Every structure is written in structure tokens, then in C-alpha cells.
Amino acid sequence: MGGGPEAKKDKVLFVLPFPEPTDVTDRLKRKFPNIDFEYINLTSHRDGVWVRHKELPKEIYHDITILGTLAVLPEKPEDCPRLELTHIFSAGINHITDNPVYKDTDVTFTTSNGIHGPQIAEWVVMTALIQSHKYNPLYELQKQHKWGQKHTSENYGKVSDLVGQRLGVLGYGSIGRQVARVGKAMGMDVIAYTAHAKDTPAARADNGYIVPGTGDPDGSIPSAWYSGTTKAELHRFLAQDVDLLLVSVPLTKATLRLLGAAEFAVLGRRNAFVTNISRGKVVDQPALVDALKDGTLRGAALDVVDPEPLPEDDPLWDAPNVTITPHISGLGDAYAKRAFEVMELNLERRANGEELINVVDKKRGY
């Protein structure tokens, strides 16, 4: 904010669905004595369910300059006349893009992109290995206290390890970079696909938040890069002998139903495995079910589906070789800590007049 004796102090309002982490907020108050902080926990946890226990009056937003939230925004721009910066405590923003404060103002939005890579990468590896190592039937045997036989219909001896397989990363952001790092460490070849060309070292660098010791900061892991916004360019990437496809693109108008029957047919040349941790609507779900049933794809791991929750009678539940989890791959005990770290870094940058990280390009939608 501007200087002068009459200048108002910045005010940060946190509106989040978990109790205040006082160790974090106390540190912020000490570090930024010229900022007023307020924290509102909108929900409580009762009998295993998060319950919203208060509604916010619109007046609460009137004097804030910075908002930290997961999904709750003022309803109208006139409710927040001083708002300059909103930090979203998630990587995706598709759930807020219809809000007038997002659509109709020049308020800067930043995300927590970069905090999810470690736990999601572990989920990706876990679900891939569960299927390739035929763990599900082994677990059923364990529950029955039975010792499995090596040579059965499951054919446990025919496990294909990941060494030499090709990982195609569709959307080479922070999550894709950490999956690539882990995949390469396990002996995989990695190729990357982005909407826009990354044809220089500077363009391939990750300039967002990076959990220390993770990811691909300089973009050196992929053996090849592909890019484009047309089906032909996408198919060229998918046709590069991809064994495991990671879907990690944001949900936008351009990526809605990006993968369907035609794309699965291309992947079917290698009988590929598809992993989706982005959004369910990126995939044509009925086409995916068909590709699993007829063996075009050898399997799929899905942390996101359409709709969520997935109805009990949806045919996806019974598709062969599919693992489904309830949109939890990004969760972990470090989630909030890392999201606050991104916001703290941007508070520092803002105070120093420096460029912020993880700024949303509203034209692209991410």
C-alpha cells in the first residue's frame, strides 16, 4: 500500500476450513508487524464430517487488502473495495472462476501450486505398482489368511517393472515434474507435453513454488518435449510409445474432455496405463470405461472422476484394472504448512515490490 501518515495498514483475512495454525499465524504477525491479520475457521469437524458452522457477513471483507482462502470469496466486487491480492489454498482455481471478484476485477490471484508434488507423486507410483504387482488379489488372500501360489491365474511371475518404460507427462507443471523426477529415479524415460512450446532453457525452468529437494527446477529431466493445442499435436505426443500417461493439466475450456476414444486408441498401441490426478472432466469417462473393458488400455488410476462423488451405479466402478480414490492424492500433513509458505513468500515479495510467484493468468485460467 502507499505511504504517508494517513495510509491504511494492509489487512489479511484468512477464511479457511480448518482451525487456525497459531504457530504459523504468530510467526506471520512477528514477521510482518505492519500487517493486521484475522483468521476465520468456517468449519468444524464432527463425527468424521466437516460441517460449515457460520456464514460471513459481507462487511467482513470491506477493509481487507489480502485474502487467503480455499474457496470462499466475497459475492460482489463492491463488498471488497480495498482487495488487491487473493491467495487460493489449492493448485486449481476452476471452482472460483465464475465469481465476480475473479472475473470482473483486476485483483491478483495466486495459487498454492507446487505444494502437492511429493504426496501426489507417491500416490501415482503407489497406484501404478498396486496394479503392476497384482497387489489387490494378494491383499484379498491375506485377509483370508491364505498363502498364494506363484503360478495361478494372476500369474505373479509376469510382473513388468518400470525400468525402460516411458512416462508421458501431459501437463508438465509442479506435480508432473515431481512425478518425472521419481519416474526417472526408477529407471523410466520421461517425455513432457505443454500447451505452449518450451524450446529454451529459460522457458523450461520452474519459476513457481518448489518444495526443496523435489521436482525438476531447470526442466532437464524429459528426454523430449512436445507442445501444442491441437488434437494432431496431442496425438503426436501420445504416439511416442507412452507406457504410462500422467494427466496433470488444469481444467479449462481447452482441456475439457481432452482425452477420449481417439486418444485412447493412440495409447492403445502400447496398451498404456492412464493416471489422472487433474480433474475428472478432462477425460471422456464413458470412453475410458470402454477402453478398459476392451483391453485398449491395460489399466487406470483415478483420483478424480466426473461427477464427484461417483454414483454407486456408475460403470466406472466395475471397469477392469481400475483404481479409484476419492480425490485425496494431494492431501497430507504438510499441505497447510506449504500453502502458508507460498503465501508468506508472496507477502515478502509484495512488501519488497518484487514479482509474485504462482500468479494466475486469467486468460489461460491457471
Side-chain angles (χ1 to χ4, degrees), residues 2-250:
E6 302 301 322
K8 292 185 177 181
K9 295 175 66 176
D10 272 337
K11 181 174 181 179
V12 174
L13 173 65
F14 293 109
V15 182
L16 292 166
F18 47 80
E20 179 177 1
T22 53
D23 57 331
V24 174
T25 53
D26 286 348
R27 185 183 72 246
L28 291 176
K29 291 172 184 177
R30 292 192 300 270
K31 189 171 184 178
F32 302 100
N34 294 322
I35 297 179
D36 290 330
F37 291 91
E38 181 177 358
Y39 193 103
I40 297 176
N41 173 19
L42 272 187
T43 58
S44 58
H45 200 244
R46 303 172 189 166
D47 299 323
V49 178
W50 287 104
V51 180
R52 184 158 176 163
H53 59 72
K54 66 173 71 175
E55 297 294 331
L56 294 181
K58 65 180 181 180
E59 291 78 18
I60 198 76
Y61 300 108
H62 191 266
D63 290 330
I64 65 169
T65 52
I66 302 167
L67 176 63
T69 183
L70 184 65
V72 178
L73 294 172
E75 293 184 2
K76 302 175 183 179
E78 50 265 37
D79 295 338
C80 50
R82 297 186 64 218
L83 185 62
E84 298 177 5
L85 171 64
T86 296
H87 180 72
I88 303 297
F89 275 61
S90 65
I93 57 154
N94 56 287
H95 59 294
I96 64 160
T97 53
D98 288 334
N99 183 280
V101 177
Y102 176 86
K103 292 192 304 181
D104 304 329
T105 74
D106 59 359
V107 173
T108 298
F109 279 74
T110 57
T111 73
S112 298
N113 186 44
I115 73 171
H116 307 84
Q119 60 269 44
I120 292 184
E122 291 179 6
W123 180 95
V124 169
V125 173
M126 175 187 73
T127 52
L129 296 182
I130 280 174
Q131 291 211 24
S132 67
H133 285 257
K134 308 179 189 299
Y135 176 74
N136 288 331
L138 290 170
Y139 179 57
E140 293 302 317
L141 288 171
Q142 179 184 338
K143 289 193 296 183
Q144 299 170 36
H145 298 190
K146 291 183 178 180
W147 186 260
Q149 299 300 314
K150 295 179 180 179
H151 303 292
T152 66
S153 60
E154 297 296 342
N155 218 338
Y156 299 113
K158 288 193 174 180
V159 170
S160 297
D161 59 49
L162 296 177
V163 176
Q165 293 196 41
R166 175 163 288 169
L167 168 65
V169 181
L170 180 59
Y172 203 67
S174 61
I175 294 170
R177 289 170 185 258
Q178 176 62 5
V179 175
R181 183 189 187 106
V182 175
K184 185 173 182 180
M186 297 182 74
M188 302 186 78
D189 177 56
V190 179
I191 60 174
Y193 188 91
T194 57
H196 304 279
K198 307 289 186 182
D199 49 10
T200 67
R204 293 176 178 176
D206 184 354
N207 296 312
Y209 175 82
I210 302 173
V211 176
T214 72
D216 182 16
D218 60 1
S220 62
I221 289 177
S223 62
W225 290 72
Y226 299 83
S227 63
T229 56
T230 68
K231 286 287 188 178
E233 290 165 318
L234 174 60
H235 287 193
R236 178 170 174 259
F237 166 72
L238 298 177
Q240 302 303 310
D241 292 338
V242 171
D243 296 294
L244 192 157
L245 178 72
L246 173 69
V247 184
S248 54
V249 294

